[in-house]
Each structure stands twice: as C-alpha cells, then as structure tokens.
Amino acid sequence: RLSNTFDPEQSQLLIPPGYLFINHGFAERRCNRGSGGVGFVLSPLARKAWEAAGCKVLHFGERIAAVKLLLKDGKGRPLTIMLASAYAPHGSGPVKRKDRAVFLEQLGS
C-alpha cells in the first residue's frame, strides 16, 4: 500500500501501531503503472504534532505536498516545522520537458 502514492487525489491511512501515511497524487491515473504522487509516513509522535498543527496538507501542484508539525522546543516554546515532499518528472521528449517546467515553476512558488 505504501508504494501507491499514485492513488487518485489525497488519502490517509492509519498503520498500526499509530503511524499515519498521507498521500497526494494526480486526480486521474496517467498510465497503467501510475506516475507521480508524493507521500509522508508520520510516526505516532509526528502524527500528534501534525494534529496539533491542524491536520493540514498543503498542495503545490500535483507533485508537491507539505505538512506542518507543531512541536515544543527544549524550553517548551512552540516550534513549527514544515515537511515537504516532491516528485520531479523525469525522462525526455516535449511532454516531459513541459511537465518538468511546470514542476519547477510550482516548486518555486
């Protein structure tokens, strides 16, 4: 299941004993084997920090996602960490070059 980051749209899967798999992919499959998509596996501690930050998944196009974690530093002060995951298109040809240009533009935003 964890290899299925090409599942449509966004999904979440709770994995015992308390891990959370968050995925974000294309709205539709683009080929038989799937393509693109990104994901996160959060430990139970990271899952609690994600929940404390509001359970948000930010999307920057179909190949880039981020999650915010709210933790405490060594002195008990709030500490926000942003984790990002990106999947760059690869290959050659005009379509792949266009996909890569779009990806790089979204990565810069």
Side-chain angles (χ1 to χ4, degrees):
R1 173 77 179 135
L2 292 184
S3 65
N4 288 349
T5 57
F6 54 80
D7 279 350
E9 312 252 348
Q10 178 182 314
S11 64
Q12 299 170 11
L13 173 67
L14 192 58
I15 305 165
Y19 289 82
L20 180 66
F21 174 60
I22 301 170
N23 117 353
H24 172 65
F26 295 109
E28 300 176 355
R29 281 187 173 226
R30 296 195 173 177
C31 65
N32 287 336
R33 67 167 184 82
S35 65
V38 294
F40 303 89
V41 176
L42 301 180
S43 70
L45 180 62
R47 181 174 60 98
K48 288 179 184 175
W50 178 67
E51 290 167 351
C55 299
K56 293 181 183 169
V57 180
L58 306 172
H59 307 122
F60 304 91
E62 296 172 315
R63 296 175 178 267
I64 307 166
V67 294
K68 190 183 293 189
L69 308 180
L70 182 58
L71 303 163
K72 301 270 184 192
D73 70 8
K75 295 183 180 182
R77 297 175 296 201
L79 175 66
T80 301
I81 296 175
M82 183 75 75
L83 299 178
S85 181
Y87 177 79
H90 52 84
S92 61
V95 172
K96 295 295 182 178
R97 283 193 293 272
K98 181 182 175 209
D99 287 348
R100 189 163 186 81
V102 169
F103 169 80
L104 291 173
E105 182 180 313
Q106 291 169 340
L107 190 61
S109 62

